[in-house]
Amino acid sequence: MSYGIRLHVWGQHALFTRPELKVERYSFDVITPSAARGVLEAIHWKPAIRWVIDRVHVLKPIRFQTIRRNEVGHKAPAGKIKQAMNRGDLAGLQLLVDEDRQQRASTVLVAPAYVIEAHFELTAKAGPDDTEGKHLDIFNRRAARGQCFNQPCLGTREFVAHFELVAPGARLPERDPDMVNAQHGFGGSPRDLGTMLWDIDHTAPGRPSLFFRASLNEGVMEVPASDSPEVLR
Amino acid sequence: MSMIASLVRAYERLPDAPPFGFSSEKIGFCIVLNSDGTVAEVIDLRGDDKKRSPRMVLVPQAVKRTVGIAPNFLWDKSAYVLGVTAGDGKRTADEHAKFREAHAEWLSDTDDAGLLALLRFLESWRPEHFVPPIWPEEMRDQNIVFALAEEYRERFLHDRHAARQAWNGIGAAGASAPQICLVTGERTATARLHPSIKGVWGAQSSGASIVSFNLDAFTSYGHEQGDNAPVSEAAVFAYTTALNRFLEKGSGHRIQIGDASTVFWADAEKHMAELAESFFAAMFDTGEAEDTSKTEDKLQTKILATQLESIRLGQKLTDVLPEIDPGVRFHVLGLSPNAARLSVRFYWEDDFGQLTANYQKYLKEMAIEPAPDGWPPLWHYLNDLAVLGKRDNVPPNLAGDWMRSILTGTPYPLTLLTMALTRIRADGKVNALRAAILKSVLIRNLNMEAPVALDPAYKDNKGYVLGRLFAVYEQVQRAALGRNVNATIKDKFYGSASATPQKVFRTLDAGSQNHFSRLRKQNPGWAVNLEKLLASVTDLMDPAGDPIPVSLNSAEQAMFGIGYHHQRSEFFRERDDKNTDPTEADE
């Protein structure tokens, strides 16, 4: 993995919503590959590169908490936004939160911390100037300085992700000793995390979801490569 | 494993669950086959009544027939199965041919003895063979099922495991637009809508959904309804059936904890699962609602109670219940309603041994002297935290979070502490239940030590000593003025004494002098005893170290409550033991 990076991310809470429990949200046990990709893309992304998540180290015990939040019931329709743009007038575009409030319960992860191991691939949009070394340097520099295009989050925007680059060759951050038990896949039998969302296939018609069978082995979740049969299409 | 996946597994173990894709149909006859495909017997399944009404049998769901010829799987009317009919039967030959052809195709790669017998029978069968006495005339146009000779008393051919698997495969192949099911990981037809879940306390009686997408903010990437969370039809059928079964009253799989309807199940063979489940129910619920009228049940309950007692006293699960494998996977799911939907409050899955260990830990931390009567179930504690002690007022969220902490053995929600303190301040009641809650939060969340029973020498915590002191002042007042005081110093001052002691304790001290002077006239002996006690408590306080601080934090307030409870119940205990309560004599 010559172009691999490692990023330590943590936060107060996280919510990686399970698709089947989406309205009354319930989080996956571990960050999903697509959420991890979102964190990396917030730090550095260009059309020339595509992030691939290799594995996730879980550093803190998996704990849940239930909270209730007010959310909005509808989305601003894309068609109306387009109309407003053509018209040059914002009339009729707003969503009134007070009139469209939904109280939803969420079961969120408490104090998660991960090390995301990932690498990137150059896409067809890469020009002659785009070399892997260049993008790797950009990412490492930006991550080390704490720069990001937008604040990365752990699942939903409310849950800010703090991040820190794990420099090449440096040791991983310490794992919480409370984690080292059979509950987190230590001592032989991995913890079965069920079928986890791998990512959305944005290129296929209908944008289907891709899944994989996730498990936590000694605190590490391996993420299959996109062309492996483990990714269920 | 996700919750829905484990419910699907639980469905497979349900003893009499309607299988997916099956329906009840009127069946008249059963053809009993030998394994070589020859006919052993033909059995009349119809009832003895005048109309000879056929029996209702669970069979693979019937196909919708319009004008085409479409055979059912492993059963059908005689025209299809045998090619015989009572009428003129223009298409009978075609229908029978189709039945034969379809089964040959469906069962092409089977190696099941029963299904092979059927195939052999169909190969050798000719409609001309249909002659009495083996084949009765009444059989014409009746629905017919099959069975194997060695097992026709237990099950029909379509009840065999292989037949069910084949039938599931056929159903999946016929559906359109297959997607990956996120429960099973298989590529099958997905459900658009999920059936409702009934029986959750507080939810609509017609049922509510766990998986639903009823507003567009809940959808993603333009997917509609079930496509947002592709779950196969079979998995949807399975998890809703299992969950609804568990949520039924008296199913032995549910208890109510606060607003969370809690269901639980064990992943084990029947006997062990039942044992583990009833044990769990007894741990968290006294089961007083259960009707134990049968003597057999009563005996069972008695045995269970003894075993549970041993567990509660800290014995190992393997010693008390050797028939339960501590490695049995146990699932606990808490559901609570929210606006026509159900929300998963908590979901816990681990070994039963771990569960028992966590339960024992919870009890150990809750232990307090004097103890509440018996082993109060969790909802007793919760009711004591609710306004007016009503179950409806149990703070939502708290119940679920607390239950989750007990199951996982992790720190309790801190709202538990504030809630208990708030309730104590509001109604001034410090009983064993509340003191136990305070103590367990201190131990588990704040890593503090708290005495189980009255510790007269314990002076590490100002709150504890002040709590005792407060109880002594109250006792002095009671001794001096009797029990018929309108507002005791507890009623007036408990809240401020526990939160801002400096404001109150000087007043209390001054007041106690008045009480003492009165008591000395009435009962000098008792006055001396109480004075001695008062001195022994105040001696614990270090005059240099701010003995009565301006304020106490919540942990110290909790210790205050525990100290008060200990000291106060000590007075009551003395009265019980010696039966020499002078107040009693005064009155």
Side-chain angles (χ1 to χ4, degrees), chain B residues 424 430 435 438 463 467 494 498 556-566:
Chain B
I424 290 175
V430 187
L438 294 177
Y494 185 92
S498 65
E556 286 167 329
Q557 287 184 34
M559 285 301 270
F560 186 97
I562 297 169
Y564 174 79
H565 173 70
H566 281 163

Side-chain angles (χ1 to χ4, degrees), chain B residues 78 94 142 164 166 212 232 257 309 390 392 422 442 485 494:
Chain B
S78 62
D94 292 345
Q142 291 277 354
R164 292 191 172 194
S212 69
S232 65
I257 293 167
E309 189 74 19
K390 276 189 191 159
D392 298 1
T422 314
L442 292 182
V485 180
Y494 185 92

Side-chain angles (χ1 to χ4, degrees), chain A residues 189, chain B residues 9 266-268 272 276 317-318 321-331 348-356:
Chain A
S189 59
Chain B
R9 285 253 305 261
D267 232 347
M272 205 198 287
L317 179 70
T318 40
L321 276 170
E323 54 273 57
I324 293 188
D325 172 10
V328 165
R329 299 303 280 178
F330 204 81
H331 306 258
W348 178 90
E349 181 207 350
D350 207 338
D351 301 346
F352 195 70
Q354 185 64 42
L355 173 77
T356 321

Side-chain angles (χ1 to χ4, degrees), chain A residues 23-99:
Chain A
V23 180
E24 301 296 322
R25 298 164 181 271
Y26 197 98
S27 179
F28 278 114
D29 296 346
V30 174
I31 188 169
T32 61
S34 55
R37 176 175 59 84
V39 173
L40 300 181
E41 287 179 354
I43 297 167
H44 175 66
W45 178 80
K46 286 279 183 267
I49 61 169
R50 179 174 58 232
W51 283 107
V52 179
I53 310 297
D54 298 320
R55 65 188 60 78
V56 174
H57 301 255
V58 183
L59 303 179
K60 290 272 185 76
I62 297 166
R63 288 199 292 125
F64 288 100
Q65 191 178 28
T66 306
I67 55 174
R68 278 185 187 229
R69 302 182 294 177
N70 290 337
E71 300 182 29
V72 182
H74 288 91
K75 298 192 269 197
K80 278 212 169 157
I81 295 172
K82 211 167 194 177
Q83 274 175 23
M85 281 167 74
N86 290 337
R87 217 170 43 220
D89 177 19
L90 291 176
L93 198 61
Q94 78 280 15
L95 278 181
L96 288 177
V97 179
D98 293 1
E99 289 171 11

Side-chain angles (χ1 to χ4, degrees), chain B residues 473-483 568 572 575 583:
Chain B
Y473 284 140
E474 190 199 0
Q475 179 67 4
V476 173
Q477 185 198 34
R478 194 184 295 124
L481 306 179
R483 283 192 296 180
R568 186 165 174 271
F572 287 110
R575 185 197 299 171
T583 42

